[in-house]
């Protein structure tokens, strides 16, 4: 309840601050040498301020040198942070500054937000504005910049800045609180300190609403019926600054854009709705301009036995009110293939955009607002060889459009070579999104050809323990899995330390017994066909490289049968560790596949996808398998199947996205225990099947010829239909 209440209140206070005057600021900095608290200790290492630092932000010293390579800079990695400065007595504040830096090449960006709150007593706060809400807050080359809110007339003792990163990092070397003039009577609408997080969430939701609406308006303003709304659009900003903004204003303007765009479409195409064939992996927008109106659409697919294919169409409502659209599937022979229909709904993503991503099964109908376009995706799953015709009837009112779908399921690809690409996405069943639905998650993972699991450290038995139940309960969900990775995470120094110091003689002795017993237990409990790998360190880097080398050399001599797996995210790690392991999963961005050291390891590829929702299903997810084939890698993966920033919040498809950069998952949670797929997740699955076709082609015609086809696709990643074209060529030549 409090979040909804704050959301309404904060509409009055957003954008630029709500205390204004024309006062001339003096140079006095009230924050100089004042104490402050931090919600998160500095954790960016090794060249910036240490975690113990508590003075650099108010010491008056600005960084001289490369910003995040100096001790005068304070850095945080993967964490928002709240900094509260005690001015020691009430002061009239005219300006607050935050000095930071960016460099897109280093994946460092200016903060997404620097929300400013002030208080007289550190118990109740007032919202002032967002220092980072500036036209100069853009991506780009290396630049140090001081963001500020000025011309304030705020009386306060405590200054609290809530900094939200855009990406992984926050850097700052100095915060200033400059003297103002005049006085101000207390404001009535106060936020309890314990509710500041709710207030920040409300501000972020409001920011998204406003900036998303600005994107929509900017894309459509050339249309005359939309252009007429310019004055109404501009008035929103002035109302904000005059503290007279109503939540209903934005809703009313958005509805006006909907109805006016519908009028434009209806006048252009003279029909109540438009259906158009669309690529299932292409970008999609709510306000889409169709190219033509048709009465029927024709599709033709070749599908591997037990394989999948996808098609899509764009549906646009040109009527002036909400309308229901009914769908009827007519499949002449459901024994040959299954046909499913999905509403691809729009969800918030980064940069204040909406993206079409979650796939919501359509049972019979959907309701659409005026002027809105929706992608509708259908999935064909081959069951047995044969050919069949199916139809999808789309109807609203008296108008209907028929989709004719001709499908052939091919038998020759039902063999042992199909889907043998190793695939993992670090799907820990104890993640908040999965802990209440492990069976559903595992079923979904297997359905998308994930054949490798990672057992988290917390489920591994301790040394000298006979309690294997938590471990066996965990792996029991994955019967039939191809690869098991035992993730010990030695770099955390939290695991297996009950037998003396790591790599001591007693530790080594206990490790050998522990490992052999664990392998025996795995084999005896239904996993005799699974390959077992020890995963000792994640993303080996820095001093951990030497630790890994020492461990690997010892363990290979003590346990010749052991197999080691490593994720390698730096060039040094690749050159030092790859010769020592059996599987090296290399971060794609390292780009060393043409210059690897001498080794006998299998090469897998992986990537880490921040802002995952906003990424191309085609380029980032489907083509990963094509890149693996081209580089003769035998495995792929990405972080992560179900990882979101706010652990206490499930990734429900109707929820707002509060921290876009920290969204990694490819699935959503439904209201019960169901797993909701996404276009990205389906594209990844399809890529694994593409890999199988490429393998078959290489066996029949040669690896070089298959690589040439893969290169054709990889070299033109923006041509989202190219993989399907090449895939169809392969199928025709293999038949």
């Amino acid at each position: 309840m409090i979040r909804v209440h704050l959301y309404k209140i904060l509409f009055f206070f957003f954008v630029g601050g709500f205390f204004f005057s024309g006062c001339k600021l003096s140079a006095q900095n009230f924050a100089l040498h004042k104490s402050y608290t931090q919600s998160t200790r500095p954790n960016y290492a090794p060249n910036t301020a240490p975690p113990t630092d508590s003075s650099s932000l108010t010491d008056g010293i600005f960084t001289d040198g490369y910003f995040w390579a100096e001790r005068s800079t304070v850095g945080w990695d993967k964490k928002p942070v709240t900094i509260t400065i005690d001015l020691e007595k009430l002061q009239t504040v005219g300006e607050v500054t935050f000095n930071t830096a960016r460099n897109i090449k280093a994946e460092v960006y200016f903060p997404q937000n620097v929300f400013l709150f002030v208080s007289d007593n550190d118990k109740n706060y007032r919202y002032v504005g967002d220092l980072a809400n500036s036209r100069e807050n853009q991506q780009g080359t290396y630049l140090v910049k001081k963001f500020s809110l000025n011309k304030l007339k705020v009386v306060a003792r405590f200054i609290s800045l809530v900094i939200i990163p855009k990406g992984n990092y926050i850097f700052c070397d100095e915060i200033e609180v400059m003297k103002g003039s005049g006085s101000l009577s207390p404001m009535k609408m106060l936020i309890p300190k314990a509710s500041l997080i709710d207030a920040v969430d409300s501000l972020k939701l409001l920011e998204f609403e406003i900036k998303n609406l600005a994107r929509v308006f900017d894309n459509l303003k050339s249309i005359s019926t939309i252009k007429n709304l310019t004055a109404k659009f501009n008035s929103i900003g002035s109302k904000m600054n005059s503290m007279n903004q109503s939540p209903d204003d934005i809703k009313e303007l958005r509805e006006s854009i909907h109805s006016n765009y519908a009028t434009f479409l209806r006048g252009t195409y003279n029909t109540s709705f438009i259906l158009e064939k669309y690529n299932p992996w292409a970008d999609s927008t709510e306000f889409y301009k169709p190219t033509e109106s048709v009465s029927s659409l024709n599709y033709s697919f070749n599908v591997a036995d037990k394989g999948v294919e996808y098609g899509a169409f764009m549906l646009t409502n040109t009527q002036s009110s909400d309308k229901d659209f009914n769908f009827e599937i007519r499949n002449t022979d459901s024994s040959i293939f299954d046909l499913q229909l999905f509403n691809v709904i729009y969800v918030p993503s980064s940069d204040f955009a909406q993206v079409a991503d979650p796939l919501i099964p359509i049972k019979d109908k959907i309701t659409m607002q005026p002027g809105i376009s929706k992608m509708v995706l259908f999935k064909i799953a081959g069951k047995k060889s044969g050919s069949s015709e199916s139809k999808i009837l789309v109807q609203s009112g008296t108008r209907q459009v028929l989709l004719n779908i001709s499908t052939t399921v091919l038998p020759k690809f039902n063999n042992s070579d199909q889907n043998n690409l190793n695939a993992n996405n670090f799907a820990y069943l104890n993640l908040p999104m999965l802990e209440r639905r492990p069976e559903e998650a595992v079923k979904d993972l297997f359905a998308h050809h994930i054949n490798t699991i990672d057992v988290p450290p917390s489920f591994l038995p301790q040394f000298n323990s006979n309690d294997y139940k938590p471990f066996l309960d965990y792996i029991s969900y994955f019967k039939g899995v191809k690869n098991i990775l035992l993730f010990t995470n030695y770099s955390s120094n939290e695991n297996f330390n009950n037998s003396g110091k790591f790599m001591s003689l007693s530790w080594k002795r206990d490790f050998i017994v522990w490992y052999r017993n664990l392998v025996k237990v795995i084999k005896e409990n239904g996993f005799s066909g699974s390959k077992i790998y020890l995963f000792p360190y994640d993303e080996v880097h820095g001093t951990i490289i030497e630790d890994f080398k020492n461990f690997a050399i010892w363990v290979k001599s003590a346990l010749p049968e052991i197999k080691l797996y490593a994720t390698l995210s730096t060039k040094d790690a690749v050159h030092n560790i790859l010769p020592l392991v059996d599987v090296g999963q290399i971060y794609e961005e390292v780009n060393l596949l043409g210059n690897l050291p001498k080794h006998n390891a299998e090469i897998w590829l992986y990537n880490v996808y921040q802002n995952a929702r906003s990424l191309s299903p085609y380029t980032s997810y489907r083509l990963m398998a094509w890149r693996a084939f081209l580089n003769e890698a035998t495995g792929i993966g990405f972080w992560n199947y179900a990882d979101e920033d706010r652990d206490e919040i499930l990734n429900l498809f109707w929820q707002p996205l509060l921290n876009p950069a920290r969204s990694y998952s490819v699935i959503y949670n439904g209201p019960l225990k169901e797993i909701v797929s996404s276009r990205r997740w389906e594209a990844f699955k399809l890529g694994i099947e593409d890999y199988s076709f490429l393998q078959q082609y290489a066996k029949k015609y040669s690896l070089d010829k298959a690589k040439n086809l893969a290169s054709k696709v990889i070299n033109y990643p923006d041509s989202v239909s190219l993989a399907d074209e090449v895939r169809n060529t392969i199928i025709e030549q293999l038949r």
Side-chain angles (χ1 to χ4, degrees):
M1 292 296 292
I2 191 168
R3 182 171 296 180
V4 174
H5 175 68
L6 287 166
Y7 181 71
K8 292 181 178 178
I9 289 176
L10 290 168
F11 259 91
F12 291 89
F13 300 142
F14 187 77
V15 178
F18 60 82
F19 297 105
F20 296 91
S21 80
C23 60
K24 184 177 180 180
L25 302 180
S26 71
Q28 185 175 358
N29 176 12
F30 292 134
L32 188 62
H33 303 307
K34 296 297 192 297
S35 64
Y36 57 87
T37 61
Q38 305 163 87
S39 62
T40 302
R41 284 286 181 184
N43 63 353
Y44 182 82
N47 298 321
T48 55
T52 55
D53 180 80
S54 60
S55 61
S56 293
L57 296 176
T58 59
D59 62 3
I61 299 173
F62 289 84
T63 294
D64 182 15
Y66 200 57
F67 202 77
W68 42 85
E70 301 293 336
R71 288 288 182 177
S72 54
T73 295
V74 185
W76 296 268
D77 182 8
K78 299 183 176 71
K79 292 287 185 181
V81 63
T82 299
I83 300 165
T84 302
I85 303 171
D86 183 0
L87 303 182
E88 298 180 355
K89 65 179 180 180
L90 288 175
Q91 303 284 8
T92 302
V93 176
E95 182 181 20
V96 177
T97 73
F98 184 89
N99 204 52
T100 185
R102 73 171 187 212
N103 188 352
I104 192 171
K105 291 183 178 179
E107 297 184 347
V108 179
Y109 310 95
F110 289 144
Q112 180 70 53
N113 307 100
V114 182
F115 293 123
L116 171 61
F117 298 87
V118 299
S119 175
D120 299 340
N121 53 19
D122 199 30
K123 295 179 180 178
N124 297 299
Y125 278 80
R126 298 170 292 188
Y127 174 62
V128 178
D130 182 0
L131 280 70
N133 183 32
S134 166
R135 293 180 179 178
E136 297 176 354
N137 189 350
Q138 300 174 353
Q139 299 180 10
T141 56
Y142 181 78
L143 179 68
V144 176
K145 177 173 174 55
K146 183 185 292 186
F147 287 95
S148 74
L149 280 179
N150 55 28
K151 297 184 180 179
L152 307 176
K153 196 164 59 172
V154 179
V155 175
R157 172 177 170 177
F158 295 92
I159 304 296
S160 190
L161 298 176
V162 182
I163 303 101
I164 309 298
K166 181 188 290 186
N168 277 337
Y169 308 111
I170 298 170
F171 293 106
C172 182
D173 64 349
E174 196 71 15
I175 297 171
E176 299 169 305
V177 181
M178 310 304 291
K179 181 180 180 180
S181 62
S183 61
L184 183 72
S185 58
M187 293 290 292
K188 294 181 180 179
M189 286 180 279
L190 299 177
I191 305 167
K193 183 177 182 179
S195 299
L196 282 182
I197 295 300
D198 289 312
V200 168
D201 288 350
S202 296
L203 285 165
K204 290 163 73 176
L205 295 177
L206 174 58
E207 179 184 34
F208 183 89
E209 287 290 329
I210 294 170
K211 293 189 175 181
N212 177 255
L213 185 62
R215 288 171 63 103
V216 170
F217 189 82
D218 189 58
N219 289 335
L220 299 178
K221 64 185 179 182
S222 61
I223 298 171
S224 59
T225 56
I226 307 297
K227 195 173 184 179
N228 293 334
L229 301 172
T230 301
K232 192 172 184 178
F233 179 80
N234 291 338
S235 71
I236 287 183
S238 61
K239 282 185 177 182
M240 289 174 186
N241 291 338
S242 64
M243 295 179 290
N244 191 31
Q245 180 63 55
S246 165
D248 292 334
D249 288 339
I250 289 179
K251 180 181 177 182
E252 181 183 340
L253 179 56
R254 188 177 287 275
E255 289 175 349
S256 296
I257 292 174
H258 281 278
S259 60
N260 279 276
Y261 190 57
T263 299
F264 163 75
L265 292 172
R266 192 165 57 254
T268 303
Y269 298 100
N270 191 31
T271 184
S272 59
F273 72 86
I274 303 168
L275 211 64
E276 190 170 50
K277 188 179 289 189
Y278 207 75
N279 189 294
W281 317 121
D283 291 340
S284 174
T285 175
E286 288 182 297
F287 295 94
Y288 168 76
K289 186 176 180 181
T291 57
E292 61 178 340
S293 177
V294 298
S295 58
S296 65
L297 295 173
N298 298 308
Y299 298 80
S300 179
F301 296 103
N302 290 315
V303 185
D305 189 355
K306 307 302 185 293
V308 293
E309 264 288 7
Y310 301 84
F313 54 90
M314 191 68 77
L315 176 61
T316 303
N317 178 20
T318 66
Q319 299 168 93
S320 58
S321 60
D322 291 2
K323 291 297 179 182
D324 289 339
F325 289 83
N326 297 286
F327 301 85
E328 180 185 347
I329 296 177
R330 301 170 181 173
N331 196 350
T332 56
D333 190 348
S334 58
S335 68
I336 295 177
F337 63 88
D338 282 330
L339 179 61
Q340 291 179 282
L341 204 57
F342 299 92
N343 176 14
V344 190
I345 67 172
Y346 293 95
V347 292
S349 69
S350 59
D351 295 325
F352 312 103
Q354 296 267 14
V355 295
D357 194 43
L359 304 181
I360 310 301
I362 296 175
K363 296 181 179 179
D364 52 10
K365 69 178 182 179
I366 61 174
T367 302
M368 292 178 58
Q369 295 173 290
I372 286 294
S373 294
K374 277 184 174 292
M375 179 189 292
V376 178
L377 182 144
F378 56 88
K379 177 179 179 180
I380 299 171
K383 296 169 71 174
K384 70 175 186 179
S385 60
S387 297
S388 182
E389 302 290 328
S390 56
K391 299 179 186 298
I392 300 174
L393 181 67
V394 183
Q395 184 171 0
S396 181
T398 59
R399 174 166 163 74
Q400 63 181 32
V401 177
L402 193 63
L403 283 70
N404 302 298
I405 303 171
S406 176
T407 302
T408 298
V409 178
L410 306 168
K412 69 163 52 180
F413 303 110
N414 184 18
N415 54 53
S416 59
D417 291 319
Q418 188 172 0
N419 304 331
N420 66 347
L421 180 65
N422 298 290
N424 68 332
N425 55 6
F426 307 94
Y428 305 127
L429 296 184
N430 59 342
L431 287 168
M433 284 182 63
L434 305 181
E435 59 186 358
R436 296 179 184 176
R437 57 198 83 197
E439 296 93 347
E440 291 79 7
V442 172
K443 182 179 178 181
D444 185 59
L445 289 164
F446 283 172
H448 289 79
H449 307 314
I450 297 299
N451 57 16
T452 301
I453 67 164
D454 305 73
V455 182
S458 58
F459 289 94
L460 295 173
Q462 293 287 307
F463 287 178
N464 303 314
S465 171
N466 294 319
D467 183 11
Y468 291 96
K469 187 177 186 306
F471 172 74
L472 291 175
D473 286 347
Y474 187 89
I475 66 172
S476 67
Y477 290 110
F478 297 96
K479 288 292 177 65
V481 75
K482 180 180 178 181
N483 306 304
I484 299 174
L485 309 181
L486 305 174
F487 181 30
T488 54
N489 197 22
Y490 289 138
S491 57
S492 72
N493 296 317
E494 296 175 355
N495 301 294
F496 311 106
N497 292 327
N498 58 352
S499 293
K501 186 178 180 181
F502 178 67
M503 291 289 284
S504 66
L505 289 176
S506 61
W507 188 95
K508 290 178 178 178
R509 180 189 64 242
D510 288 344
F511 175 89
I512 293 171
V513 174
W514 171 83
Y515 182 78
R516 284 180 169 157
N517 286 341
L518 189 57
V519 170
K520 181 181 177 183
V521 167
I522 294 171
K523 297 293 186 181
E524 290 176 348
N525 282 273
F527 293 88
S528 59
S530 301
K531 294 181 180 179
I532 301 169
Y533 297 89
L534 188 74
F535 180 11
Y537 297 86
D538 186 28
E539 295 195 323
V540 189
H541 64 280
T543 57
I544 299 175
I545 292 176
E546 196 63 29
D547 292 342
F548 194 119
K549 287 176 65 176
N550 293 334
F551 172 77
I553 292 169
W554 166 75
V555 80
K556 284 283 189 178
S557 63
L559 291 167
E561 74 274 19
I562 198 169
K563 294 183 181 299
L564 296 180
Y565 163 92
T567 48
L568 306 175
S569 58
T570 68
K571 293 180 180 180
D572 284 346
V574 171
H575 283 296
N576 284 280
I577 302 302
L578 189 61
L580 302 174
V581 298
D582 298 274
V583 173
Q585 192 153 13
I586 300 175
Y587 184 46
E588 281 194 297
E589 302 300 323
V590 173
N591 196 26
L592 275 182
L593 293 180
N595 187 29
L596 295 177
K598 186 177 179 180
H599 67 91
N600 294 311
E602 279 190 63
I603 302 298
W604 299 2
L605 304 180
Y606 82 103
N607 215 316
V608 178
Y609 289 135
Q610 296 185 88
N611 293 313
R613 289 187 186 181
S614 62
L615 297 176
S616 164
Y618 179 79
T619 306
S620 296
Y621 291 90
R622 183 175 181 181
L623 294 193
M624 180 179 282
W626 292 73
R627 294 191 290 269
F629 181 83
L630 186 61
N631 290 285
E632 299 185 39
T634 58
I636 58 174
F638 61 90
W639 178 276
N640 180 287
Y641 175 63
D643 186 45
E644 294 291 308
D645 183 59
R646 296 283 295 274
D647 288 351
E648 70 275 21
I649 296 180
L650 297 178
N651 192 26
L652 302 170
F653 59 82
W654 61 84
Q655 280 185 327
L657 182 67
L658 296 173
N659 298 303
R662 305 299 299 162
S663 175
Y664 298 95
S665 54
V666 292
I667 60 167
Y668 299 81
N669 285 340
L672 300 175
K673 287 188 175 182
E674 66 268 35
I675 299 292
V676 176
S677 189
S678 67
R679 287 202 300 153
R680 293 170 291 126
W681 190 213
E682 298 303 311
F684 184 79
K685 173 180 181 173
L686 189 60
I688 293 175
E689 296 183 12
D690 295 337
Y691 184 97
S692 297
F693 284 121
L694 286 164
Q695 279 191 317
Q696 290 292 315
Y697 189 89
K699 285 184 177 181
K700 184 171 182 178
Y701 293 104
S702 82
L703 179 60
D704 286 343
K705 288 184 177 180
K707 281 187 172 184
N708 287 337
L709 291 176
S711 295
K712 180 180 178 182
V713 172
I714 295 300
N715 291 338
Y716 297 94
D718 295 331
S719 299
V720 295
S721 62
L722 193 53
D724 284 327
E725 293 174 10
V726 171
R727 174 186 171 116
N728 287 331
T729 297
I730 290 174
I731 290 173
E732 290 299 322
Q733 294 185 26
L734 289 176
R735 292 180 71 174

